[in-house]
Structures are given as C-alpha cells and as structure tokens.
Amino acid sequence: MKWSFNRARFGAILGSLGLCLFLMGGPSQAAPTENSASAAVPGGTRFAIVWRLRGDVTAAPSNGSNPRKLREGDPVFVGERVRAAAQAEAVLKTEDAGVVAIRPGTEFVAERFSAEDKPTDSFTVRLVTGSLRVISGWIGQTNRSGQNIVTASATIGIRGTDHEPYVLSPELARTTSNPEGTYDKVNRGGTTMQVGDNKLDIDPGKVGFVRAPSRTKDRALLTILLPVLLDKVPNFYVAGEFDAELDRYSATADQDSKRQLEQRRKSPAAAAVAQCAPTDVAKAWLADLDGAIARNDAQAIIAMFAPDVAVRATVKDKDGKTTNVDLGRDELAQSTIAAMKALKDYKQRRVWTDARLTELAGGPACDRISLRSVVVEQGKLGGKPYRFESLEQYVIELRSGKWIAVKAETAQQ
C-alpha cells in the first residue's frame, strides 16, 4: 500500500508532524530530534505513558545503554530502567488506569506488568533508590496479590492503595539522620510490608520501615530487619510538584478505575471485537480521535498512535513540488503538541467511514483493522484559515485492550 500523507489533515489535526509550512507557501522538513523515541524504545509490553514531567527523566534498557529522554506522551516499557535527575519529577499513567509518580533522584524498573483483565494480570516494580507515589489501578482491585513493589530489603503488597515507597540511600540517610532502608507511607487504603515470612500491615497515615540488610553485620541481629511501624512520618517525605493534582486523582481513583474496567468490558469496541464488527470499532476509534482534537488534547491524540507507528507524508509546496517525509512517533508527539497550540476554531464532519478486518495467514484477524474515512474540516492554523476534504486511511491494532494506529495516510480530495 502506498502511504501518502496529506499535510493539511495532520497539520491541522495531529500537530502537522512539524510540516505545516507546506500549506503556508514554503516547504519545511521536520527537524530531527536529539533522540528518537520511535527508534530507541524497545519492543514488548507497554507499562505506562508519561502524563506529567518536570526536568530530566530517562528510560533505558536494563543494561543502561542508550538512555532516552522522556517527554510527555512517551511510552515506558516493561524492563526499562527509569531514572529521574536530582531536581526532576514525572507522573506515569499505567495501562490499568493507575498512577506512578516519580520523585527526584529516583531509579526503578517495571519488571512485570499485564493489564488484560485476566487472572494473570500483574504489576511488579523494583525500586532501586528514591521514592514513588503509587495509586493503584484496576489490578489492585482484581488481583491484589499480583501488585507489588520490591526493594533490596522488603516486598510491599497493596490493598487498593495510594502509598509512597521510599528506598533511603546511605547518603540521604546521613543527611536526614534517618536509618537506611525501605520505608512505606500509606495515604489511602493499606499496604503490607513483608520480609521472609514476617508481615506488617500499614494503615492510612502510618509509615512502615525495614532496615537495609547491608547495615546488619551480625546474623544474630536478624530481628532488626523485621518490618516495624514508625512513630511519625520521617522528614524526608515531602510533597512533589504534582501532588495537589494527584490528591484529586486519588480521591476517586478506585471508583474511576473500576468504572473504566467495566466500560472496557462493555464498550462497543470490545463487543465488536468479539463479533468481528470492524466498522463499529473504526467509528468508535475515530470518535475518540475527533473528540481529542476538538478538546485540543494533544496527549490524548498522541496516545492513540503506536510507538512504532509508520507514517509517510507526501506533501506539496506552493509550486506543486512533492516531497516524501518518513516520520515516527517521536516527531508526531513533538509536532502535535506544538500545533495544538496554533489550532483554532476547528470544525469537521465525517462523510462516510468504511472498515475491514485485515487479512492475515489463516484468515481475517479481529484485532487488526484497516479503515477509510472521508472528512470535511475547517479552522485556523497559525492564524490562517483553511478548509478541505480529505480521505484518511489507518491501520489500527488492539494492544493491551486498547486500539491504536500503527499506520496512517491522508490525501486531500
């Protein structure tokens, strides 16, 4: 299939992939980025999407090579080592509608994650150093035993929870005059700290503690490694930049994640998959895309495209000369965010939509759909009005319970 790409549609709607000047009378290439997420991210299971970000936060393969600088809207994958600089913070939204807030100076690895509404769903994060604020999603309700935070000295399980595990380094322990080890502060719900067969339940407002094993030189003193409740919250627990927003999120997190799970189970798209009804899926997906555009929600738009999305833009300048530009999700993310700020008075209507199951070896597949749709739209981009009709074509796949585009094409009529 020839993947030609209309600059107008994706310029006005998806942030124009950095090429909107083609419509304004002069060709422009999308600038190469310092590190391309589409090239650098590993394959495999997606753990979360970057929702909020301040400062330098990186993700790298388990061996630490070729770290990529995270941006809002970027995916984080199972097995990646995530590090936040000393003054950096980030908030990740997990695939089960949960949240992982990364504090300054933190390093962790999402070792296991599956959110498919199955008994095997799991969430295991190994916290190396620093602190996280974790607000559990539906895995915390449907398979609590499958959600854990693991440190060098303890394993923390949850009971439908908003909590803050903290691995205090030797340096910070000396600075704050607190013992080195694993701490866990519960904001809502409850957690269980476990060392061997020894468990400690932690209720809201309380902090559990397990001393770092490296600080114990005498095996006869093993008892000091047992989890204990502290009398007060240690002084190193401080609110992050995004905590006010997280407090609001946490207040209804259990109900919201449960509602999203029920909607997922009952959604027309999910039912359509069971019945192999591709047009219903396509219309639902396009409605989500159009809604995000109308709201100027760049992050929601970006999340609808796969990290490995294939995009080829065939665009014309004012003299009619055509240029082909191959783009990845990293360029899509940057240009979408930029162009959403310039898009005003946007209106559109879809004339018709058609969709078909993609033929694979052995017959049609119900988790991969090719769709075509004619759309008429108008608005202002960078203060200049535009109006046109275009034919859009996408290939969408069902990944981790969510439909995302893996290919895209648009041609102005």
Side-chain angles (χ1 to χ4, degrees):
M1 180 179 293
K2 180 181 179 182
W3 290 100
S4 61
F5 207 93
N6 177 0
R7 183 61 236 141
R9 171 63 175 162
F10 272 66
I13 295 180
L14 295 185
S16 66
L17 308 172
L19 301 174
C20 62
L21 289 180
F22 277 108
L23 294 179
M24 310 295 181
S28 172
Q29 292 287 348
T33 57
E34 185 173 324
N35 69 117
S36 171
S38 61
V41 299
T45 303
R46 188 171 70 178
F47 170 62
I49 291 291
V50 180
W51 183 36
R52 297 286 185 265
L53 183 67
R54 176 179 68 86
D56 291 339
V57 181
T58 61
S62 57
N63 61 10
S65 64
N66 300 319
R68 59 189 177 93
K69 194 180 206 180
L70 293 176
R71 302 178 178 87
E72 289 186 355
D74 278 357
V76 174
F77 293 89
V78 171
E80 288 194 291
R81 184 175 292 268
V82 180
R83 293 186 177 96
Q87 303 300 319
E89 295 182 61
V91 180
L92 311 182
K93 277 193 174 181
T94 59
E95 297 289 292
D96 69 330
V99 163
V100 176
I102 308 167
R103 306 302 198 188
T106 293
E107 179 179 334
F108 78 93
V109 178
E111 295 192 329
R112 294 180 60 192
F113 185 81
S114 177
E116 299 179 351
D117 190 23
K118 296 179 180 179
T120 54
D121 284 357
S122 61
F123 175 113
T124 299
V125 166
R126 177 164 54 86
L127 181 57
V128 179
T129 189
S131 179
L132 303 171
R133 180 173 177 179
V134 180
I135 302 174
S136 59
W138 76 60
I139 294 174
Q141 301 176 52
T142 60
N143 186 23
R144 290 180 180 176
S145 63
Q147 180 149 338
N148 298 283
I149 306 293
V150 178
T151 75
S153 57
T155 297
I156 302 170
I158 63 103
R159 291 179 278 145
T161 305
D162 174 353
H163 68 123
E164 299 180 49
Y166 203 129
V167 173
L168 197 67
S169 66
E171 296 76 19
L172 193 56
R174 289 191 293 270
T175 301
T176 62
S177 299
N178 289 285
E180 178 191 351
T182 298
Y183 297 75
D184 191 47
K185 178 169 76 75
V186 174
N187 302 318
R188 177 183 55 79
T191 64
T192 299
M193 294 188 81
Q194 183 169 351
V195 180
D197 295 329
N198 300 288
K199 296 182 180 179
L200 173 70
D201 290 336
I202 309 169
D203 295 322
K206 301 296 184 180
V207 179
F209 169 67
V210 175
R211 190 178 297 270
S214 61
R215 310 302 293 177
T216 305
K217 299 179 180 179
D218 189 343
R219 294 181 61 86
L221 298 180
L222 185 62
T223 55
I224 70 172
L225 297 180
L226 299 181
V228 297
L229 284 176
L230 301 182
D231 295 332
K232 61 181 181 179
V233 177
N235 56 359
F236 51 78
Y237 271 108
V238 294
E241 179 172 331
F242 306 109
D243 271 44
E245 188 172 11
L246 292 175
D247 289 343
R248 294 190 294 270
Y249 190 95
S250 178
T252 59
D254 288 349
Q255 301 94 311
D256 290 346
S257 63
K258 184 177 181 179
R259 182 167 56 252
Q260 288 186 43
L261 179 58
E262 291 302 319
Q263 289 174 347
R264 181 181 187 272
R265 290 169 174 172
K266 299 177 181 179
S267 68
V273 173
Q275 301 171 19
C276 283
T279 300
D280 292 342
V281 175
K283 288 181 176 179
W285 188 85
L286 289 170
D288 288 343
L289 176 63
D290 293 339
I293 295 165
R295 298 192 306 271
N296 267 29
D297 190 343
Q299 301 304 330
I301 296 169
I302 294 166
M304 297 185 69
F305 289 80
D308 55 348
V309 64
V311 175
R312 172 167 289 181
T314 301
V315 292
K316 292 183 179 181
D317 62 17
K318 62 182 179 180
D319 298 321
K321 181 181 178 181
T322 61
T323 303
N324 293 329
V325 182
D326 291 310
L327 302 167
R329 189 176 182 277
D330 189 58
E331 292 86 357
L332 173 64
Q334 293 188 42
S335 54
T336 298
I337 292 171
M340 282 292 96
K341 299 177 182 178
L343 182 62
K344 304 293 182 183
D345 301 329
Y346 175 75
K347 296 179 181 179
Q348 63 88 28
R349 65 182 180 89
R350 293 194 175 272
V351 180
W352 61 265
T353 297
D354 177 63
R356 299 170 184 262
L357 298 175
T358 300
E359 292 282 345
L360 299 176
C366 292
D367 58 356
R368 185 178 173 93
I369 293 171
S370 298
L371 70 94
R372 302 166 72 238
S373 182
V374 169
V375 61
V376 178
E377 60 185 288
Q378 65 185 51
K380 292 181 179 179
L381 184 64
K384 295 186 177 183
Y386 70 92
R387 184 184 186 281
F388 52 80
E389 176 181 312
S390 59
L391 171 64
E392 298 179 4
Q393 300 184 71
Y394 302 93
V395 174
I396 59 176
E397 286 186 356
L398 186 63
R399 296 184 181 180
S400 300
K402 181 179 179 180
W403 287 99
I404 56 176
V406 296
K407 289 186 178 180
E409 169 186 2
T410 183
Q412 188 170 348
Q413 303 297 292

